[in-house]
Amino acid sequence: MTIAENKVVTIDYTLTDNSGDVIDQSVDGGFSYLHGAENIIPGLEQRLAGKSVGESLTVTIPPEEAYGLRDDALKQVVPKEAFDTQDEIEVGQQFHAQSPDDKPMVITVVAVEDTQITIDGNHPLAGVELNFEVKIIDIRDASDDEISHGHTHGADGHVDHDA
Ligand SMILES: [Zn+2]
């Protein structure tokens, strides 16, 4: 069996940036996703297609095929009072917000001054080249439920839920 649409694929992976810092990695038992359902970044999904269990790959994914390029227009300086909170606002804090076209986005505080705050709506990994070390652990057919939900239900594929 090889990786294709509507297969549930389990991989072990380590993701590093170009300085070699680990950004993310799979934990015990690996990470499962439904192939062809945009569960993972497009560049990685594409490169996994056609691979078999036991194969390993080392790939570098450009930002265009991962979390996109940085968009400076998403960086904004806003008055502090625009934040409806009594709590201290600190650099690195993240807020959930809605983009103008109604998509969920995460806003990161990048600078705090006396009366104003600089926020950045770019994905933290926007503009970052991603290096993946991947080993393919398992491939199976997705269940009908998984295909209609657009995600995997775990190793055995028999999880009941309302999603
Ligand atoms: Zn589901």
Side-chain angles (χ1 to χ4, degrees):
M1 192 179 276
T2 56
I3 297 178
E5 295 255 314
N6 297 335
K7 303 289 183 199
V8 171
V9 182
T10 304
I11 55 174
D12 254 335
Y13 73 91
T14 303
L15 167 59
T16 53
D17 62 19
N18 284 344
S19 348
D21 289 329
V22 174
I23 297 170
D24 191 20
Q25 63 195 135
S26 52
V27 286
D28 289 351
F31 164 82
S32 296
Y33 76 96
L34 175 61
H35 194 85
E38 297 178 7
N39 291 172
I40 61 174
I41 57 166
L44 184 59
E45 191 164 57
Q46 226 170 63
R47 285 161 181 79
L48 283 166
K51 303 285 187 224
S52 324
V53 171
E55 280 192 79
S56 295
L57 60 162
T58 302
V59 291
T60 297
I61 316 269
E64 293 90 333
E65 296 175 59
Y67 294 98
L69 295 169
R70 287 191 59 81
D71 178 359
D72 282 336
L74 294 175
K75 212 166 156 179
Q76 282 180 46
V77 177
V78 295
K80 221 175 194 170
E81 65 246 26
F83 283 82
D84 186 22
T85 172
Q86 302 300 315
D87 301 331
E88 195 71 35
I89 294 164
E90 286 167 5
V91 171
Q93 268 183 331
Q94 296 189 317
F95 299 89
H96 290 272
Q98 213 95 31
S99 73
D101 56 350
D102 247 19
K103 290 194 182 124
M105 63 193 289
V106 174
I107 306 276
T108 307
V109 175
V110 293
V112 179
E113 282 153 283
D114 285 347
T115 57
Q116 59 190 29
I117 289 170
T118 308
I119 54 171
D120 188 349
N122 284 287
H123 187 283
L125 292 178
V128 178
E129 207 165 63
L130 303 178
N131 305 296
F132 283 93
E133 295 255 7
V134 183
K135 186 168 189 204
I136 294 130
I137 305 296
D138 188 55
I139 305 169
R140 65 167 171 81
D141 289 318
S143 69
D144 291 345
D145 273 356
E146 288 176 317
I147 293 167
S148 72
H149 290 188
H151 57 226
T152 167
H153 289 163
D156 60 5
H158 293 293
V159 175
D160 270 328
H161 71 97
D162 301 324

